[in-house]
Amino acid sequence: MTSPVALTIAGSEATGGAGAQADLRTFQAHQVFGAVALTCIVSFDPNADWGHRFVPVEPQVIADQLEAITAAYDADQLSVTKIGMLGTPATIETVAKVLQRRPFGQVVLDPVLICKGQEPGAALDTDTALKAKVLPLATFVTPNHFEAESLSGLQIRSVEDLTEAARRIHETSGAVVLAKGGVNLPGPDAVDVFFDGTTTETLSAPKVGEVQVAGAGCTLAAAVAARLALGDSPLEAARAAKAFVTAGIQERLVSQAPFDVVRQRAV
Ligand code: PXL
C-alpha cells in the first residue's frame, strides 16, 4: 500500500520543542508518514542561559541520508519536502545540490535564519547562502517577522507592511509566501499574510498571550507540508496549518526552558 511520504530536512532540538521532532509529530498528527534527513543537533545549555549548543552533521552524512530516502521513495510518493534549520553554508550547499538533482515536487522552506534568543546577524554567511541557494528552489516559504524583514528588505510594523513584504518575497523567489506576524505586530490578533502571485489572504487568530512559544514556526511549515501531501491547494494548506498551530499554541506544553512548546494533536 502506498501512502504519501513527507520529508523533513531539519535539525534535532533535543528537548523536542522545535526542529525535526516537531515536524515528525506534525506529520503524524495528519496521518502523513515522515522521513528525516538530519542537518544538525541543537542542545540548549541550561547552565548558560539556555544558549544553543550547535553541532552540524557532516555534509556527506546529510547526502547519505538523502540518498537513502530518495532511493526508498520515488518522486510520486515523496512529493513534498519541508526544509527547516540548515545551519551552515556547507549544509546549504549539500542540500541545494541534492534538490537540483531530481524532481522534488513541492518544497516548503521555513527560512530559519536565527533561533529565538540568538543575536540577529550571528551567521551572515549562512543567511546569504540560504537566500542565494535554497530560496530559489522553494515552492512555498514561511518567513516569520524577522525573516520577512530580512528577505524583503522592508521594516515591518503593520499588516500592510507584512503584505508588501510577502509580495516582494514572492517576486524574488517565485514561491507562495505565508509571512507570519505572530506576536511581533501590535493588536489582539496573530496575523499571517498569504500571497501566491494573485491571491492575497490575511489569516488571523486571537493571540494566545504575548510571549512566543517554541516550535510554532516548525509546526506551521510542517503542517503546510502535510496538507500539501494530502492534496490540499497551497491556500487550503495555509488555512489548515494556521488553525493547527493556533490549537497547538493553546494547548502548549510547559517547559523549564525559556519558551513553552507547541503541542501537536491529531486532526
Ligand atoms: O525554531 C527554530 C529551530 C529550528 N530547528 C532547530 C532549532 C530551532 C530553534 O531552536 O533548534 C533544530
Side-chain angles (χ1 to χ4, degrees):
M1 200 171 122
T2 58
S3 63
V5 175
L7 163 62
T8 180
I9 304 174
S12 164
E13 189 275 270
T15 68
Q21 290 88 335
D23 294 343
L24 277 186
R25 287 196 305 275
T26 301
F27 293 165
Q28 183 63 29
H30 290 85
Q31 298 290 313
V32 169
F33 191 92
V36 183
L38 210 61
T39 57
C40 59
I41 298 175
V42 171
S43 320
F44 300 145
D45 186 349
N47 300 311
D49 212 13
W50 298 91
H52 287 206
R53 291 177 292 200
F54 168 87
V55 178
V57 171
E58 284 278 319
Q60 185 57 50
V61 177
I62 298 171
D64 290 349
Q65 295 173 78
L66 290 167
E67 183 184 25
I69 294 162
T70 52
Y73 309 113
D74 65 23
D76 287 335
Q77 192 174 16
L78 197 174
S79 63
V80 181
T81 296
K82 187 225 136 166
I83 301 179
M85 187 168 173
L86 296 176
T88 73
T91 300
I92 288 167
E93 183 77 33
T94 304
V95 169
K97 263 200 202 132
V98 174
L99 287 178
Q100 280 161 335
R101 213 174 291 144
R102 78 158 206 178
F104 259 82
Q106 308 196 72
V107 176
V108 181
L109 173 64
D110 185 17
V112 179
L113 295 185
I114 52 164
C115 292
K116 278 180 274 304
Q118 285 186 307
E119 285 299 313
L124 259 188
D125 53 347
T126 303
D127 297 359
T128 306
L130 187 75
K131 286 177 208 170
K133 299 199 170 136
V134 181
L135 185 60
L137 302 171
T139 59
F140 197 123
V141 60
T142 61
N144 63 20
H145 178 264
F146 171 78
E147 293 152 357
E149 285 192 334
S150 171
L151 296 180
S152 69
L154 296 173
Q155 274 208 335
I156 301 172
R157 299 218 171 90
S158 64
V159 175
E160 293 69 37
D161 295 343
L162 191 64
T163 305
E164 183 53 29
R167 288 175 178 274
R168 292 223 189 157
I169 297 166
H170 171 77
E171 270 164 29
T172 51
S173 67
V176 174
V177 181
L178 182 59
K180 303 169 285 183
V183 294
N184 296 102
L185 293 182
D189 293 331
V191 179
D192 303 338
V193 174
F194 173 96
F195 183 66
D196 64 2
T198 43
T199 303
T200 307
E201 185 162 307
T202 303
L203 306 176
S204 202
K207 281 181 186 165
V208 187
E210 283 287 344
V211 180
Q212 289 180 320
V213 290
C218 304
T219 301
L220 183 87
V224 167
R227 299 298 304 213
L228 292 173
L230 294 170
D232 274 12
S233 71
L235 181 54
E236 287 166 343
R239 287 178 184 148
K242 171 80 170 171
F244 183 76
V245 82
T246 301
I249 293 169
Q250 283 161 347
E251 297 184 31
R252 67 179 70 181
L253 183 80
V254 173
S255 164
Q256 304 309 313
F259 299 100
D260 288 346
V261 173
V262 173
R263 200 192 293 255
Q264 295 83 10
R265 286 275 168 82
V267 288

